[in-house]
Amino acid sequence: MATSSPVRHAWRALIGLLAIVAVLAGVNALGVYVFQKSSWVPELALDLQGGTQIILAAQTPDGASPSSEQMNQAVTIIRQRIDASGVGEASVTTEGGRNIVVQIPGEADEQTRQRIEASAQLQLRAVLFSSQEVSGAQIGADGSPTPYPTPDPSLQSTPTISPTDGSDPNWITPELYARFQAYNCSDPNNTPATQPADQPLITCEADGSVKYILGPVEIDGSSITDASAGLNSQNNQWVINIVFDAKGTAAFTEISQRLYPLQAPRNQFAFVLDGSVLSAPSMNAIITDGKPQISGSFTQESSKTLADQLKYGALPLSFSVQSSDTISATLGSQQLQIGLITGLIGLALVAIYSLAVYRALGSVIIASLGVMGVLTYLMLCILAWRMGFRLSLAGVAGLIVTIGFTADSFIVYFERIRDELRDGKSITAAVEDGWGRAKRTIYISKSINVLAAVVLYILADATVKGFAFTLGLTTAIDVLIFILFTHPVMQLLVRTRFFGSGHKLSGLDPEALGAVYRGRAQFRAPQAVSGRVAKSRGEADRRQTIAERKKAAEAAASSTGTTGSKGGDD
């Protein structure tokens, strides 16, 4: 027997969905068993798992209270450090005008602690060498990238000739150059911020576009007294104006005299914050007044950002660790249990409602929710591994709310199918036509949900971002399930005897739905009915077009006239 096109389409969609589930499970299995950085359980956020709380106390050189601007800048820098370490759902806040409270889900490792507790260090170093090959790989003979080998420990690591200044190329030893070649700018294990100040540094541009070998630190950020963005009156371009103190002015004068005659890239001077190069401008003049200016392709926003980083990158603050404690998640665990119970109750109510209203069709809703749960679970595990996503209580709320949104989609689809049945179409035609009408409504509805989730994620506080993220994620998965599971399953089910014949328990019984139109100019004869069937029939009558009503009236009149004529003959 030849297989119809909708059936082939249904099987292709279901196989595609099975492939997606297999790929997601395979990706997470790689993370668990090969890279050993993932888990089969989603990571929980601070409010559900508990974690580590570190309180840092700010200290100024003169003992005065730090300004709110300085504290906010410190919070921003510390948050950037934590984000760079891959830890998600962390909380960084100020407390009492002098303390910064850092809360991290789970137990903070030593590397993360060092990132948090280290003072923000702005360093100025001369550029010794640079390259735009930032991946640590070379193109092999076969045309594919091959990582550079790990530097041989036997390579010379001490300069043969002692360097005379920070720009001396003798700093570049064979061992240093080998490490530079193998250095991958995207490797999170690289920690240039912890390298000694009196040694050359291998690091990258903050956006990962250029890789550098820098000389030792020649000026630190404490010598910068001011940095501001402004417009150059001659070319109307945005620039950053820097002002050094007396010590910095003397040092920068000597540096500018040394770098100005050199060729690129050794005529560049890098501003390094926490090990990453913020900017590496060329020295275009000898500057003796301690007021250099950085020019380039800056916008108003980018110039102000760089000026703020230079001004506050080296805070006139140092931090001492006041306490480092493990915080409990007792309250969060209770709330999680309540949330899970609430979700199960909501799921049970949706299942009961579906079975009561849609009979056997309700099983399609339950199965679709099950498949959606599997996909969502795998995505949460993978996102925890790759993006550091952690499920917070707000995120759990987003998952629970999605159950209701998903049920809305099924109701729209099934009611469209029933409408087509009331119009007299066959069950297979009703499924196809109902899908064509329902999917437009569903796409519009889901688009609005995703748009709301995106806006909420961008504008809301960090505690609400988890809700917005899970809402947007599950809405996208909901649409995927609808296309690759729900509709294909309906296409297959209506070709079974139970659903295709409109069994009373199938939820697709045309008689119970009050279908009256049975084809071209063919209408079901009126029957004495009552109760629910009569109600459904009345709705079907109201849905008839004017032409259908006219034809029905004509058919009824003709039937009445024929009956009267026969009576007269008798």
Side-chain angles (χ1 to χ4, degrees), residues 334-346:
Q334 294 174 350
Q335 296 296 328
L336 177 60
Q337 292 178 359
I338 295 173
L340 292 177
I341 293 173
T342 304
L344 291 175
I345 292 174

Side-chain angles (χ1 to χ4, degrees), residues 123 125-127 129-134 176 179-180 183-186 190-195 200-215 270-280:
Q123 302 171 340
R125 296 172 181 252
V127 176
F129 191 75
S130 67
S131 171
Q132 294 185 338
E133 175 51 64
V134 297
L176 181 67
R179 284 198 289 120
F180 174 77
Y183 194 92
N184 186 349
C185 289
S186 61
N190 292 325
T191 55
T194 60
Q195 298 303 307
L201 173 70
I202 300 174
T203 186
C204 303
E205 195 86 15
D207 60 2
S209 59
V210 185
K211 187 164 61 174
Y212 297 95
I213 298 179
L214 305 178
F271 294 82
V272 184
L273 179 62
D274 281 353
S276 297
V277 175
L278 297 176
S279 179

Side-chain angles (χ1 to χ4, degrees), residues 162-180:
S162 297
T164 56
D165 55 51
S167 300
D168 195 328
N170 286 311
W171 285 109
I172 306 177
T173 63
E175 186 270 343
L176 181 67
Y177 187 71
R179 284 198 289 120
F180 174 77

Side-chain angles (χ1 to χ4, degrees), residues 495-518:
R495 284 164 175 79
T496 63
R497 176 175 297 180
F498 181 77
F499 286 96
S501 63
H503 192 279
K504 291 183 178 179
L505 296 179
S506 67
L508 296 174
D509 180 13
E511 186 76 18
L513 295 174
V516 295
Y517 186 62
R518 289 188 165 178

Side-chain angles (χ1 to χ4, degrees), residues 205-501:
E205 195 86 15
D207 60 2
S209 59
V210 185
K211 187 164 61 174
Y212 297 95
I213 298 179
L214 305 178
V217 175
E218 302 197 49
I219 306 176
D220 63 39
S222 62
S223 295
I224 297 178
T225 59
D226 191 20
S228 60
L231 276 174
N232 187 321
S233 58
Q234 297 181 349
N235 54 21
N236 205 33
Q237 292 184 345
W238 286 96
V239 297
I240 295 96
N241 299 301
I242 302 173
V243 179
F244 285 106
D245 60 12
K247 179 182 175 183
T249 298
F252 197 78
T253 299
E254 187 275 327
I255 293 168
S256 65
Q257 290 173 339
R258 176 185 5 121
L259 265 60
Y260 179 60
L262 297 179
Q263 298 295 317
R266 291 178 56 218
N267 65 344
Q268 292 178 256
F269 200 58
F271 294 82
V272 184
L273 179 62
D274 281 353
S276 297
V277 175
L278 297 176
S279 179
S282 301
M283 194 69 69
N284 297 327
I286 296 175
I287 301 171
T288 58
D289 61 355
K291 297 180 179 179
Q293 186 181 78
I294 302 176
S295 59
S297 302
F298 293 109
T299 63
Q300 181 179 6
E301 183 179 358
S302 62
S303 61
K304 184 178 185 308
T305 299
L306 180 56
D308 288 343
Q309 288 174 316
L310 297 178
K311 185 176 181 180
Y312 301 112
L315 296 171
L317 302 173
S318 59
F319 291 95
S320 61
V321 179
Q322 292 293 95
S323 64
S324 178
D325 303 311
T326 300
I327 54 178
S328 170
T330 303
L331 180 60
S333 300
Q334 294 174 350
Q335 296 296 328
L336 177 60
Q337 292 178 359
I338 295 173
L340 292 177
I341 293 173
T342 304
L344 291 175
I345 292 174
L347 192 60
L349 291 176
V350 169
I352 294 172
Y353 176 83
S354 302
L355 293 173
V357 175
Y358 296 106
R359 302 291 193 271
L361 277 182
S363 61
V364 178
I365 299 177
I366 298 172
S368 298
L369 289 174
V371 176
M372 182 176 173
V374 171
L375 279 177
T376 303
Y377 191 88
L378 289 173
M379 285 299 298
L380 292 179
C381 292
I382 294 173
L383 290 174
W385 169 35
R386 300 304 304 167
M387 298 176 56
F389 175 78
R390 290 175 178 268
L391 188 61
S392 64
L393 195 59
V396 174
L399 296 177
I400 295 173
V401 168
T402 306
I403 296 175
F405 288 169
T406 304
D408 288 345
S409 303
F410 291 115
I411 291 173
V412 170
Y413 182 31
F414 291 161
E415 288 301 323
R416 291 295 189 190
I417 293 176
R418 290 183 162 194
D419 287 345
E420 299 297 335
L421 289 175
R422 292 188 182 100
D423 287 344
K425 293 183 180 177
S426 67
I427 294 179
T428 53
V431 167
E432 298 301 331
D433 294 346
W435 168 251
R437 296 174 61 188
K439 65 182 181 183
R440 291 193 294 270
T441 305
I442 294 170
Y443 289 161
I444 294 172
S445 171
K446 299 304 176 184
S447 299
I448 293 173
N449 287 349
V450 171
L451 181 62
V454 171
V455 173
L456 191 62
Y457 185 85
I458 294 174
L459 300 180
D461 184 72
T463 55
V464 187
K465 287 184 183 295
F467 174 83
F469 186 86
T470 54
L471 178 62
L473 174 67
T474 50
T475 301
I477 294 177
D478 179 20
V479 175
L480 184 69
I481 294 295
F482 224 78
I483 297 173
L484 297 182
F485 183 81
T486 308
H487 179 52
V489 166
M490 287 300 300
Q491 288 178 309
L492 296 178
L493 286 180
V494 295
R495 284 164 175 79
T496 63
R497 176 175 297 180
F498 181 77
F499 286 96
S501 63

Side-chain angles (χ1 to χ4, degrees), residues 135-139 144-150 181-182:
S135 63
Q138 58 182 335
I139 303 301
S144 59
T146 304
Y148 280 99
T150 303
Q181 286 183 309

